[in-house]
Amino acid sequence: MTTDRLLLLAPRINETGLQLLTAARRRGLRAHTARSWQVPEELRGPGPAHLYGGPLFADAVGQDLGVATLEAPVDWLAALPRELTHRHVECTTLAEARRLRRPAFLKPPVDKLFPARVYPDGSGLPGPDALDDDTLVLVSDIVAFRREYRLFVLDGAVHTASRYAVDGALDVAPLGEDPDGREALAFAADVLSACAEGLPSATVVDIGPTAAGWAVVEANPAWASGGYACDPDRVLDVVLRAAGPATEVAAADRPYCRELPAVVR
């Protein structure tokens, strides 16, 4: 990878961002944190670019940087077989979700348009004056994960992984220090063997054990995901592929490119 490459991070940098800055600079990349939601003039240039930040940052600077950001299909989780989720999950519209009259876990598939949490019913979701009726929502049966693990996936295999929660509370540990670490990797291999063709080549998948067995929590874009106790250098490998030059996107990854808006300044 040539050293004229730029890695631009969102202004509100987190711990993972700091780790990526260090790892990228160690490789000789030009790694910088943006001062605002724009590409700094002094960093514009002909060199290839990558980014790390949330969906709003990707939408704000992606086209200016010439970056393609990969993400799983919005209905990926809902399309998984029941033996990989141990719950009913559907992808529907906000208009339909508002009609729910039972408790459910509700979340936007990618963008954080409203809080992801358990709702008593659909009446607590944003109204049509706040979000369009056709906004997509994932509706899931409520399930408790005893532990949760983050997998950074590259080319259909786990590239690095970490525990990040125990009984719903943040509890970070390297996979080698977790009693269920080997089981996590074994289940991850099963998941990726069954459905890697439905994911981009660089992504994040979260998994964990439930009372009914191991299950997929969700998929997330690598360019917007925390690394927890994952190896920062290996996280960087996945991030660089997941949000890199649009001219370098492999044909198999093109269906997973996020549609980035043209921003008028």
Side-chain angles (χ1 to χ4, degrees):
M1 182 170 289
T2 57
T3 55
D4 62 338
R5 289 176 181 265
L6 168 69
L7 173 63
L8 188 64
L9 290 89
R12 293 192 287 273
I13 192 168
N14 56 20
E15 183 178 353
T16 301
L18 291 171
Q19 292 174 339
L20 292 178
L21 277 176
T22 301
R25 288 171 178 168
R26 190 163 52 235
R27 293 189 193 185
L29 276 70
R30 296 183 299 131
H32 297 271
T33 303
R35 297 184 299 272
S36 68
W37 297 89
Q38 297 183 34
V39 180
E41 287 297 329
E42 67 272 18
L43 297 181
R44 294 176 182 271
H50 305 259
L51 65 80
Y52 176 80
L56 289 176
F57 184 64
D59 288 350
V61 304
Q63 280 219 5
D64 280 356
L65 290 173
V67 165
T69 51
L70 307 181
E71 59 187 16
V74 293
D75 62 348
W76 178 78
L77 183 65
L80 291 181
R82 187 70 172 257
E83 59 265 27
L84 296 181
T85 62
H86 290 298
R87 64 199 187 279
H88 176 71
V89 184
E90 64 176 314
C91 186
T92 187
T93 64
L94 190 54
E96 287 296 322
R98 292 191 194 106
R99 298 190 181 101
L100 278 175
R101 292 299 174 261
R102 62 176 175 85
F105 182 82
L106 307 175
K107 74 180 291 290
V110 179
D111 300 80
K112 301 181 186 301
L113 301 175
F114 59 85
R117 59 177 175 83
V118 173
Y119 288 76
D121 56 41
S123 64
L125 291 168
D129 55 332
L131 287 175
D132 292 340
D133 285 348
D134 58 359
T135 300
L136 294 178
V137 180
L138 284 176
V139 180
S140 170
D141 289 344
I142 301 167
V143 64
F145 287 90
R146 296 199 297 266
R147 287 184 172 86
E148 293 169 71
Y149 302 86
R150 172 142 297 173
L151 316 171
F152 279 81
V153 176
L154 190 63
D155 293 325
V158 176
H159 201 59
T160 183
S162 164
R163 189 185 77 203
Y164 66 88
V166 175
D167 294 328
L170 184 67
D171 192 334
V172 176
L175 208 60
E177 297 178 11
D178 182 86
D180 291 338
R182 288 188 179 181
E183 280 192 64
L185 289 177
F187 178 69
D190 290 343
V191 171
L192 296 174
S193 174
C195 57
E197 291 185 2
L199 290 169
S201 67
T203 190
V204 160
V205 176
D206 295 341
I207 62 172
T210 72
W214 281 83
V216 176
V217 179
E218 62 184 358
N220 290 294
W223 44 267
S225 297
Y228 299 113
C230 292
D231 181 331
D233 279 294
R234 296 179 77 81
V235 171
L236 180 60
D237 293 336
V238 182
V239 169
L240 293 177
R241 174 84 67 80
T247 55
E248 298 177 3
V249 175
D253 275 331
R254 286 175 193 151
Y256 305 110
C257 291
R258 180 182 177 87
E259 187 175 345
L260 298 174
V263 179
V264 178
R265 305 295 182 193

Short mmCIF file of all heavy atoms in Angstrom, two decimals, residues 223-248:
data_model
loop_
_atom_site.label_atom_id
_atom_site.label_comp_id
_atom_site.label_asym_id
_atom_site.label_seq_id
_atom_site.Cartn_x
_atom_site.Cartn_y
_atom_site.Cartn_z
N TRP A 223 -16.02 0.76 9.17
CA TRP A 223 -15.54 2.14 9.22
C TRP A 223 -16.27 2.98 10.26
O TRP A 223 -15.93 4.15 10.46
CB TRP A 223 -15.66 2.81 7.84
CG TRP A 223 -16.95 2.55 7.12
CD1 TRP A 223 -17.20 1.57 6.21
CD2 TRP A 223 -18.18 3.27 7.25
NE1 TRP A 223 -18.50 1.62 5.77
CE2 TRP A 223 -19.12 2.67 6.39
CE3 TRP A 223 -18.57 4.38 8.01
CZ2 TRP A 223 -20.42 3.12 6.27
CZ3 TRP A 223 -19.87 4.84 7.89
CH2 TRP A 223 -20.79 4.21 7.02
N ALA A 224 -17.24 2.38 10.96
CA ALA A 224 -17.98 3.11 11.99
C ALA A 224 -18.07 2.33 13.29
O ALA A 224 -18.91 2.62 14.13
CB ALA A 224 -19.39 3.45 11.49
N SER A 225 -17.19 1.33 13.47
CA SER A 225 -17.30 0.42 14.61
C SER A 225 -16.11 0.55 15.55
O SER A 225 -14.96 0.67 15.10
CB SER A 225 -17.40 -1.03 14.11
OG SER A 225 -18.56 -1.23 13.35
N GLY A 226 -16.39 0.48 16.85
CA GLY A 226 -15.33 0.48 17.85
C GLY A 226 -14.57 -0.83 17.86
O GLY A 226 -15.14 -1.90 17.61
N GLY A 227 -13.28 -0.75 18.16
CA GLY A 227 -12.45 -1.94 18.12
C GLY A 227 -12.34 -2.68 19.43
O GLY A 227 -11.87 -3.81 19.46
N TYR A 228 -12.75 -2.04 20.56
CA TYR A 228 -12.66 -2.66 21.88
C TYR A 228 -11.25 -3.22 22.10
O TYR A 228 -10.28 -2.49 22.01
CB TYR A 228 -13.76 -3.71 22.04
CG TYR A 228 -15.14 -3.13 21.92
CD1 TYR A 228 -15.98 -3.46 20.86
CD2 TYR A 228 -15.61 -2.20 22.85
CE1 TYR A 228 -17.25 -2.90 20.75
CE2 TYR A 228 -16.89 -1.64 22.74
CZ TYR A 228 -17.69 -1.98 21.69
OH TYR A 228 -18.93 -1.44 21.57
N ALA A 229 -11.12 -4.53 22.39
CA ALA A 229 -9.79 -5.09 22.65
C ALA A 229 -9.21 -5.80 21.42
O ALA A 229 -8.29 -6.61 21.54
CB ALA A 229 -9.84 -6.05 23.83
N CYS A 230 -9.73 -5.51 20.24
CA CYS A 230 -9.19 -6.08 19.01
C CYS A 230 -7.79 -5.53 18.73
O CYS A 230 -7.44 -4.45 19.19
CB CYS A 230 -10.10 -5.77 17.83
SG CYS A 230 -11.71 -6.60 17.87
N ASP A 231 -7.02 -6.25 17.95
CA ASP A 231 -5.69 -5.81 17.52
C ASP A 231 -5.86 -4.60 16.60
O ASP A 231 -6.45 -4.73 15.51
CB ASP A 231 -5.01 -6.95 16.77
CG ASP A 231 -3.60 -6.61 16.30
OD1 ASP A 231 -3.32 -5.43 16.04
OD2 ASP A 231 -2.79 -7.54 16.18
N PRO A 232 -5.36 -3.40 16.99
CA PRO A 232 -5.59 -2.20 16.18
C PRO A 232 -5.05 -2.32 14.76
O PRO A 232 -5.66 -1.79 13.82
CB PRO A 232 -4.86 -1.11 16.96
CG PRO A 232 -4.80 -1.60 18.37
CD PRO A 232 -4.66 -3.09 18.25
N ASP A 233 -3.90 -2.99 14.57
CA ASP A 233 -3.36 -3.13 13.22
C ASP A 233 -4.28 -3.96 12.34
O ASP A 233 -4.45 -3.67 11.15
CB ASP A 233 -1.97 -3.76 13.27
CG ASP A 233 -0.89 -2.75 13.61
OD1 ASP A 233 -0.65 -1.84 12.79
OD2 ASP A 233 -0.30 -2.85 14.69
N ARG A 234 -4.89 -4.97 12.91
CA ARG A 234 -5.79 -5.81 12.13
C ARG A 234 -7.15 -5.13 11.93
O ARG A 234 -7.80 -5.32 10.90
CB ARG A 234 -5.93 -7.19 12.79
CG ARG A 234 -4.59 -7.94 12.79
CD ARG A 234 -4.67 -9.30 13.44
NE ARG A 234 -5.28 -10.30 12.57
CZ ARG A 234 -4.65 -10.95 11.60
NH1 ARG A 234 -3.38 -10.67 11.33
NH2 ARG A 234 -5.27 -11.88 10.88
N VAL A 235 -7.57 -4.32 12.91
CA VAL A 235 -8.75 -3.48 12.69
C VAL A 235 -8.50 -2.54 11.52
O VAL A 235 -9.35 -2.35 10.64
CB VAL A 235 -9.09 -2.68 13.96
CG1 VAL A 235 -10.17 -1.64 13.67
CG2 VAL A 235 -9.55 -3.60 15.08
N LEU A 236 -7.31 -1.94 11.48
CA LEU A 236 -6.96 -1.03 10.39
C LEU A 236 -7.04 -1.72 9.04
O LEU A 236 -7.53 -1.14 8.06
CB LEU A 236 -5.57 -0.45 10.62
CG LEU A 236 -5.07 0.54 9.55
CD1 LEU A 236 -5.98 1.76 9.45
CD2 LEU A 236 -3.63 0.97 9.86
N ASP A 237 -6.57 -2.97 8.95
CA ASP A 237 -6.67 -3.72 7.69
C ASP A 237 -8.11 -3.74 7.18
O ASP A 237 -8.38 -3.52 6.00
CB ASP A 237 -6.22 -5.18 7.89
CG ASP A 237 -4.75 -5.33 8.19
OD1 ASP A 237 -3.96 -4.44 7.82
OD2 ASP A 237 -4.39 -6.37 8.79
N VAL A 238 -9.04 -4.01 8.10
CA VAL A 238 -10.45 -4.13 7.71
C VAL A 238 -11.02 -2.75 7.36
O VAL A 238 -11.76 -2.61 6.37
CB VAL A 238 -11.26 -4.81 8.83
CG1 VAL A 238 -12.72 -4.98 8.41
CG2 VAL A 238 -10.66 -6.17 9.17
N VAL A 239 -10.69 -1.74 8.15
CA VAL A 239 -11.20 -0.39 7.90
C VAL A 239 -10.72 0.14 6.54
O VAL A 239 -11.51 0.73 5.78
CB VAL A 239 -10.77 0.57 9.03
CG1 VAL A 239 -11.05 2.02 8.65
CG2 VAL A 239 -11.50 0.22 10.32
N LEU A 240 -9.47 -0.08 6.22
CA LEU A 240 -8.93 0.42 4.94
C LEU A 240 -9.66 -0.20 3.75
O LEU A 240 -9.90 0.47 2.74
CB LEU A 240 -7.44 0.15 4.85
CG LEU A 240 -6.55 0.92 5.83
CD1 LEU A 240 -5.09 0.50 5.66
CD2 LEU A 240 -6.68 2.43 5.66
N ARG A 241 -10.02 -1.48 3.86
CA ARG A 241 -10.78 -2.11 2.79
C ARG A 241 -12.23 -1.64 2.79
O ARG A 241 -12.84 -1.46 1.73
CB ARG A 241 -10.74 -3.64 2.96
CG ARG A 241 -11.63 -4.43 1.98
CD ARG A 241 -10.98 -4.67 0.66
NE ARG A 241 -9.85 -5.58 0.86
CZ ARG A 241 -9.94 -6.91 0.97
NH1 ARG A 241 -11.13 -7.51 0.89
NH2 ARG A 241 -8.86 -7.65 1.14
N ALA A 242 -12.79 -1.45 3.98
CA ALA A 242 -14.22 -1.12 4.09
C ALA A 242 -14.53 0.30 3.68
O ALA A 242 -15.68 0.61 3.36
CB ALA A 242 -14.69 -1.36 5.52
N ALA A 243 -13.55 1.20 3.71
CA ALA A 243 -13.78 2.61 3.33
C ALA A 243 -12.53 3.10 2.62
O ALA A 243 -11.68 3.75 3.21
CB ALA A 243 -14.08 3.46 4.55
N GLY A 244 -12.45 2.77 1.34
CA GLY A 244 -11.28 3.14 0.55
C GLY A 244 -11.67 3.68 -0.80
O GLY A 244 -12.86 3.92 -1.08
N PRO A 245 -10.69 3.89 -1.68
CA PRO A 245 -10.96 4.50 -2.99
C PRO A 245 -12.03 3.74 -3.78
O PRO A 245 -11.95 2.51 -3.91
CB PRO A 245 -9.60 4.44 -3.68
CG PRO A 245 -8.60 4.38 -2.57
CD PRO A 245 -9.26 3.60 -1.48
N ALA A 246 -12.99 4.48 -4.30
CA ALA A 246 -14.05 3.86 -5.08
C ALA A 246 -13.50 3.15 -6.31
O ALA A 246 -14.06 2.15 -6.77
CB ALA A 246 -15.07 4.91 -5.50
N THR A 247 -12.36 3.65 -6.83
CA THR A 247 -11.76 3.03 -8.01
C THR A 247 -11.14 1.67 -7.72
O THR A 247 -10.81 0.93 -8.65
CB THR A 247 -10.67 3.96 -8.58
OG1 THR A 247 -9.72 4.26 -7.55
CG2 THR A 247 -11.28 5.26 -9.09
N GLU A 248 -10.97 1.33 -6.45
CA GLU A 248 -10.34 0.07 -6.08
C GLU A 248 -11.32 -0.97 -5.58
O GLU A 248 -10.92 -2.07 -5.18
CB GLU A 248 -9.26 0.31 -5.01
CG GLU A 248 -8.12 1.21 -5.48
CD GLU A 248 -7.10 1.49 -4.39
OE1 GLU A 248 -7.24 0.94 -3.27
OE2 GLU A 248 -6.17 2.27 -4.64
#
